[in-house]
Amino acid sequence: MGYLLAEPRDYELLMTYIERLDVEFSKYPKVFHQRVQLRTIAIVKYLNVSTRGGVFKQSRSAYPDALNHTLYYDFKAGRFDPDYQTNVMHHEYFHLIDYQLNGFQFYWRDPQWMGFNNPNFTYGNGGTWNRGGDYTKRLNYPLKGFISSYSTTGVEEDKACIFAALMIESSHRIVNTWAKTDSILKQKIQYIKQFVGDKEGGLEIN
């Protein structure tokens, strides 16, 4: 993983990002951060992650480093689209939440979650190799049970997409409207709410 730190010329843009992050993370009880063992939030620029044995570097808007209990956010990525940045804040945090509470095995393959889908549906090869174009985190309801094309790329992305949508008022309303006539999506929403809200220190999503 690589990145650069902010310079004085970046401070205005950095402060705008920090203020937005502060608003979004105020939605979480402090005890919830402790429950999922979030210790550090690193706000950087030009964030990139090495893939395929370090041969290929991929730019990222954010990266959840669950093993080190750290969230990395790139304050410059998506700076012309505040809604995208806001979605990323919650989406990537959920990856860390899922890893900590569900464990590595269920992060990639959750039998209960996969059981919600139609039997003939198969996820793609994950979010890493499906970025840009149609595979953004934007809501487009491509098929029953899914709120975006990106959510069809993997179990972990499907969960994170729905969670992020539920954490933002405008997208929450849209997703709830779809769920009224989509039993698969309704089950997934119920799963997410119970998953993050279960036990002491839970996060309640109305």
Side-chain angles (χ1 to χ4, degrees):
M1 185 170 57
Y3 56 83
L4 295 178
L5 299 179
E7 301 173 83
R9 62 183 179 181
D10 300 316
Y11 287 171
E12 184 176 354
L13 183 61
L14 174 62
M15 193 62 200
T16 298
Y17 190 92
I18 290 173
E19 289 173 346
R20 184 176 301 118
L21 185 71
D22 186 53
V23 170
E24 295 308 313
F25 268 63
S26 68
K27 298 175 180 179
Y28 301 91
K30 290 182 179 180
V31 67
F32 183 76
H33 299 310
Q34 297 170 359
R35 179 186 172 198
V36 300
Q37 302 180 55
L38 174 62
R39 297 174 185 168
T40 304
I41 296 177
I43 304 175
V44 301
K45 66 178 182 179
Y46 305 130
L47 178 65
N48 63 82
V49 178
S50 295
T51 56
R52 289 183 178 173
V55 175
F56 177 69
K57 287 188 176 182
Q58 187 179 66
S59 297
R60 295 288 184 92
S61 301
Y63 183 76
D65 184 357
L67 294 179
N68 292 302
H69 312 281
T70 300
L71 283 172
Y72 288 89
Y73 289 115
D74 188 326
F75 68 92
K76 281 198 165 186
R79 60 189 178 278
F80 301 115
D81 190 346
D83 290 340
Y84 169 79
Q85 284 191 328
T86 301
N87 182 282
V88 166
M89 291 172 184
H90 297 291
H91 182 103
E92 298 303 326
Y93 188 19
F94 185 80
H95 284 316
L96 187 146
I97 294 167
D98 196 16
Y99 188 96
Q100 293 294 350
L101 300 185
N102 252 341
F104 180 78
Q105 181 179 359
F106 279 80
Y107 179 85
W108 300 108
R109 188 175 182 85
D110 185 332
Q112 182 181 352
W113 185 274
M114 295 174 72
F116 296 145
N117 297 324
N118 287 322
N120 59 347
F121 174 79
T122 302
Y123 283 103
N125 58 350
T128 298
W129 307 112
N130 295 279
R131 310 179 70 84
D134 291 336
Y135 290 102
T136 66
K137 299 178 178 68
R138 298 193 183 284
L139 305 181
N140 62 358
Y141 199 41
L143 68 158
K144 189 175 182 180
F146 297 89
I147 66 172
S148 67
S149 298
Y150 194 67
S151 66
T152 66
T153 63
V155 172
E156 73 285 358
E157 301 301 349
D158 194 7
K159 292 180 182 179
C161 284
I162 291 178
F163 175 79
L166 295 176
M167 292 300 296
I168 302 169
E169 184 178 354
S170 57
S171 54
H172 193 150
R173 290 197 301 268
I174 295 171
V175 170
N176 275 347
T177 299
W178 291 338
K180 290 179 180 178
T181 55
D182 186 334
S183 60
I184 296 175
L185 182 55
K186 185 176 181 180
Q187 290 180 88
K188 289 181 177 180
I189 291 173
Q190 291 173 340
Y191 174 106
I192 291 293
K193 289 183 176 181
Q194 183 176 357
F195 175 63
V196 298
D198 193 23
K199 301 179 182 178
E200 184 178 355
L203 169 65
E204 184 176 352
I205 302 177
N206 297 320

